Amino acid sequence: MSNSVLVFLFCVLGGSMLAQWTAWRFRLPAIVLLFSLGLLYGPALEILHPSVMIGSAFHPLVSLAVALIVFEGGLVLDFRQLKEAGEGVIRLTLVALPINLILGSMAAHYIGGMGWGPAFLFGSIIVVTGPTVVLPLLRNAKLHPKVAAFLRWEAIVNDPVGAILATLVLEVLLMRPGEGSGTFFGFILPHMLASAGLTIGLGIGAALGVRWLLVRDLMPEVLKSSILITIALVLFALGTLTMDGAGLIASTTFGMALVNLRIPGMAEIQRMKESLVVLIVSVLFVLLTADLQRAELSNLSWSIGALTLAVLFLVRPLGIFLATMGSSLSWAERIFVGWIAPRGIVAAAVAGIAGMRLQDAGYPGAGLVMPAVFAVIASTMILHGFSLRPLGRKLKLTLSDEQALAIVGANDWSTGLAIAVHQAGAPVLLVDNSRQDLQRAEKAGVPVLRAEVLSEEGAESLEERPGDYLIAATPDAIYNGLVCAHLAPHFGRQRVYQVSPGIARLDLYRGLSRDARGKVMGEPAWNFTLLDTLIREGWQFRSVEVTADNQASLLHESSNLLVFLVLQKGISMTIVSAEDEAPSQPDVGQCVIALVPPERDKSGGEAH
């Protein structure tokens, strides 16, 4: 293996994953770090030039990667989300798109100095908000589900539509002299409509075929993911053969049809694909940014800067305002969606190819299309990436950033635990399928959710609440493990806990597999029966403040306290578990949630 390939792998794969981890660890927008990394490798240091190193296969490989991204994006477009966000989604995908096209084209002509042909091409490219940028930003933004649905649907649906729109504009601009409206209405437009209809039919037909195979057990589990990815890529290739951009429609439709056909087992496949897409998006952003050359960046001018500002502060906000007039969207939602519109990979890929074709055709100002689109991509990624969470919080469109606890199973001791956490000032949610069992917590002011968390409705309802940790606290140890295993991808495997199923069941080899249960809350001996018995004997959950005098003894067996949680209001939450390698002592000023014996509770002590 040559040194250049090793350098390529080290810089792109290693650097992109390091950027993703850094973004997660310090709560930064990963897209901005990836973009900066690409600029460092490419224009700054000139150690990477992907289109030269990979050759003519570079752009086809990028297109295939984008097809997988929109396919995975289609897997999250559940039509049930349209119950709340339907009107906003329709307005953003159907009404706002032509308005943004007209406004963007006018801005490119009058502000950017482009001729009308390149201006319309620029306007058709910037109408898309790429899922390659939007979805990673939404993943950690904690937006209200309705607002997140707006941005998610717009990005995924408009991406292939925008690519086809740019192709339509390009074909019209490249018509030979003498070809007029007859050619457009008699050939170009019917061909595009037929291609779009064909690719939609292919996507739906392929999804129905997959469902037929799965319900009849004609597809082995080991091949499911590989076959679905292959079908998505084949559909993209078939669609692209009919028309540029149509392949993206086929891949997106295939994903949408799969998730809405309610095929069992799609959740596991979707999580696997999400991990794959994170890697693909990371690598693509580094590669495409590194492929920019200093000569292209030198074309940036004051007029392009002014055009970028117009797109950011005039075109998009005005387009959204006009498209949502008379709708049920609140002013906060309209302002937020009008500002957040990062462009991504599809915009860059279309601009690079279409701009060159238009420039070869002799259109004045066509050479400005690529740098102008690049300026919009760069500015929206940076500004929207850093402002999404602060603006969402300012407009009260985000869920709480404070670490919160969800407890599944309402009984005497879990209700007492929820009330104690609530009274300590930490967010907590008690979940159960019985209204009667939730009454005590509800009367104490604890937020409750009546649902079966293993149902689709229950899982969706739980995802809408700001939860960071989960405790499964029902009498059924197997059910608790099932809840933890099912919700681990949402909360994180190290953040799902369950009441101890019993010491014998915790044997690492013969006991319940760690993959099939949560972490043990507290000590292995603290099983459901013990906790229930202690509550009946008069023990109660209390919040105990950590002081210099009791700091060293709180977690010690001699303290006669069963410590479950360590809280620092508004900052941190720690669930005590015997499975943690080195449980740390709580800090002075924090409080612990502990099960306190009757004599200590009556004497007052330090419990309150």
Side-chain angles (χ1 to χ4, degrees):
M1 188 177 291
S2 66
N3 290 337
S4 60
V5 175
L6 293 175
V7 171
F8 180 86
L9 293 175
F10 173 78
C11 291
V12 177
L13 291 177
S16 62
M17 285 300 99
L18 179 60
Q20 285 281 7
W21 181 87
T22 303
W24 168 81
R25 182 66 179 83
F26 298 101
R27 294 196 169 200
L28 298 172
I31 296 300
V32 176
L33 297 185
L34 295 169
F35 183 77
S36 303
L37 191 64
L39 287 179
L40 177 67
Y41 289 159
L45 300 179
E46 294 188 328
I47 59 176
L48 279 183
H49 191 181
S51 61
V52 173
M53 298 176 69
I54 300 176
S56 58
F58 178 63
H59 288 292
L61 288 175
V62 169
S63 299
L64 289 174
V66 172
L68 287 179
I69 293 169
V70 298
F71 166 57
E72 194 273 334
L75 288 172
V76 301
L77 295 184
D78 194 326
F79 286 130
R80 288 174 298 185
Q81 297 173 345
L82 294 180
K83 293 178 182 178
E84 287 189 9
E87 181 188 10
V89 169
I90 291 172
R91 287 176 178 264
L92 290 177
T93 55
L94 296 181
V95 181
L97 191 143
I99 295 175
N100 287 330
L101 168 63
I102 295 172
L103 294 177
S105 301
M106 293 176 64
H109 178 72
Y110 291 110
I111 299 176
M114 300 182 192
W116 278 114
F120 271 108
L121 180 62
F122 173 83
S124 66
I125 293 173
I126 63 163
V127 299
V128 299
T129 57
T132 54
V133 189
V134 173
L135 297 184
L137 290 178
L138 293 180
R139 194 170 289 120
N140 301 313
K142 280 194 171 182
L143 291 175
H144 284 303
K146 180 181 177 181
V147 180
F150 290 157
L151 298 178
R152 183 185 303 114
W153 276 80
E154 181 194 19
I156 297 171
V157 174
N158 278 3
D159 215 33
V161 173
I164 289 179
L165 182 60
T167 302
L168 175 63
V169 171
L170 183 63
E171 292 297 329
V172 171
L173 293 176
L174 294 179
M175 285 194 305
R176 292 186 295 273
E179 295 179 340
S181 59
T183 302
F184 176 76
F185 290 105
F187 176 73
I188 295 178
L189 187 59
H191 172 69
M192 290 192 167
L193 292 176
S195 298
L198 175 63
T199 52
I200 291 174
L202 285 173
I204 296 175
L208 290 172
V210 168
R211 184 180 185 277
W212 187 89
L213 290 173
L214 291 178
V215 297
R216 287 165 176 77
D217 196 24
L218 296 177
M219 187 183 298
E221 292 290 330
V222 71
L223 290 180
K224 277 185 180 178
S225 296
S226 301
I227 289 176
L228 292 183
I229 291 174
T230 300
I231 292 175
L233 295 177
V234 169
L235 288 174
F236 170 78
L238 292 175
T240 304
L241 288 175
T242 63
M243 178 183 61
D244 288 341
L248 296 179
I249 291 183
S251 298
T252 304
T253 304
F254 179 50
M256 289 176 61
L258 284 176
V259 73
N260 287 284
L261 285 173
R262 307 285 179 264
I263 300 174
M266 287 304 300
E268 297 93 6
I269 295 173
Q270 185 174 335
R271 285 193 288 268
M272 187 282 296
K273 287 182 176 58
E274 185 178 359
S275 300
L276 176 63
V277 165
V278 169
L279 176 61
I280 293 174
V281 169
S282 305
V283 170
L284 278 185
F285 261 103
V286 173
L287 291 180
L288 288 175
T289 310
D291 205 46
L292 292 168
Q293 297 302 298
R294 293 179 181 177
E296 294 174 335
L297 297 180
S298 66
N299 289 329
L300 297 175
S301 61
W302 288 108
S303 62
I304 290 180
L307 173 59
T308 302
L309 293 176
V311 170
L312 287 171
F313 296 100
L314 181 62
V315 173
R316 170 74 178 188
L318 181 57
I320 296 300
F321 173 78
L322 294 175
T324 55
M325 288 180 63
S327 71
S328 61
L329 272 70
S330 66
W331 273 104
E333 291 168 347
R334 296 171 76 181
I335 293 171
F336 186 79
V337 176
W339 169 246
I340 301 298
R343 279 69 170 184
I345 289 173
V346 172
V350 173
I353 297 171
M356 286 189 295
R357 290 185 61 187
L358 213 58
Q359 191 171 5
D360 294 339
Y363 275 88
L368 298 176
V369 172
M370 179 58 185
V373 171
F374 166 77
V376 171
I377 293 173
S379 58
T380 54
M381 277 198 300
I382 295 172
L383 295 177
H384 297 169
F386 280 112
S387 65
L388 188 145
R389 284 173 61 87
L391 180 61
R393 285 196 297 266
K394 185 73 174 177
L395 297 174
K396 295 181 170 40
L397 297 176
T398 60
L399 302 171
S400 173
D401 278 339
E402 191 173 354
Q403 291 188 335
L405 172 67
I407 302 176
V408 178
N411 48 68
D412 288 342
W413 70 264
S414 66
T415 300
L417 174 61
I419 293 174
V421 174
H422 176 69
Q423 292 176 344
V428 61
L429 176 72
L430 185 61
V431 187
D432 199 284
N433 207 22
S434 169
R435 184 184 301 276
Q436 182 178 353
D437 292 342
L438 292 170
Q439 284 181 349
R440 178 186 162 205
E442 198 167 10
K443 288 179 181 178
V446 176
V448 300
L449 172 63
R450 185 188 174 197
E452 169 55 70
V453 293
L454 295 182
S455 69
E456 290 188 21
E457 179 187 15
E460 290 173 0
S461 299
L462 194 59
E463 287 179 2
E464 294 174 3
R465 309 296 182 100
D468 297 280
Y469 295 89
L470 177 135
I471 297 174
T474 75
D476 189 339
I478 301 300
Y479 179 83
N480 291 338
L482 187 60
V483 167
C484 291
H486 183 68
L487 295 176
H490 171 66
F491 286 89
R493 186 159 294 279
Q494 298 304 313
R495 293 189 171 203
V496 291
Y497 296 77
Q498 69 176 90
V499 62
S500 174
I503 296 177
R505 283 180 161 178
L506 295 177
D507 185 285
L508 293 179
Y509 182 67
R510 298 179 180 85
L512 294 174
S513 169
R514 180 66 179 84
D515 291 333
R517 64 172 175 84
K519 291 174 69 175
V520 172
M521 178 184 62
E523 295 295 328
W526 300 358
N527 58 26
F528 187 95
T529 302
L530 173 66
L531 298 178
D532 189 55
T533 302
L534 292 178
I535 291 294
R536 294 181 187 279
E537 292 177 353
W539 289 54
Q540 294 188 37
F541 280 97
R542 289 288 184 264
S543 171
V544 180
E545 185 177 351
V546 180
T547 65
D549 294 331
N550 66 14
Q551 180 184 19
S553 63
L554 277 175
L555 296 183
H556 199 272
E557 293 181 4
S558 62
S559 69
N560 204 24
L561 296 178
L562 305 187
V563 178
F564 285 73
L565 280 83
V566 180
L567 302 175
Q568 187 166 0
K569 190 177 184 308
I571 298 177
S572 66
M573 174 183 295
T574 302
I575 299 177
V576 177
S577 173
E579 294 188 275
D580 289 332
E581 293 184 359
S584 57
Q585 295 292 338
D587 296 328
V588 175
Q590 292 181 329
C591 72
V592 300
I593 305 298
L595 196 55
V596 181
E599 62 274 8
R600 183 182 179 97
D601 187 38
K602 290 178 182 178
S603 64
E606 295 171 336
H608 57 276

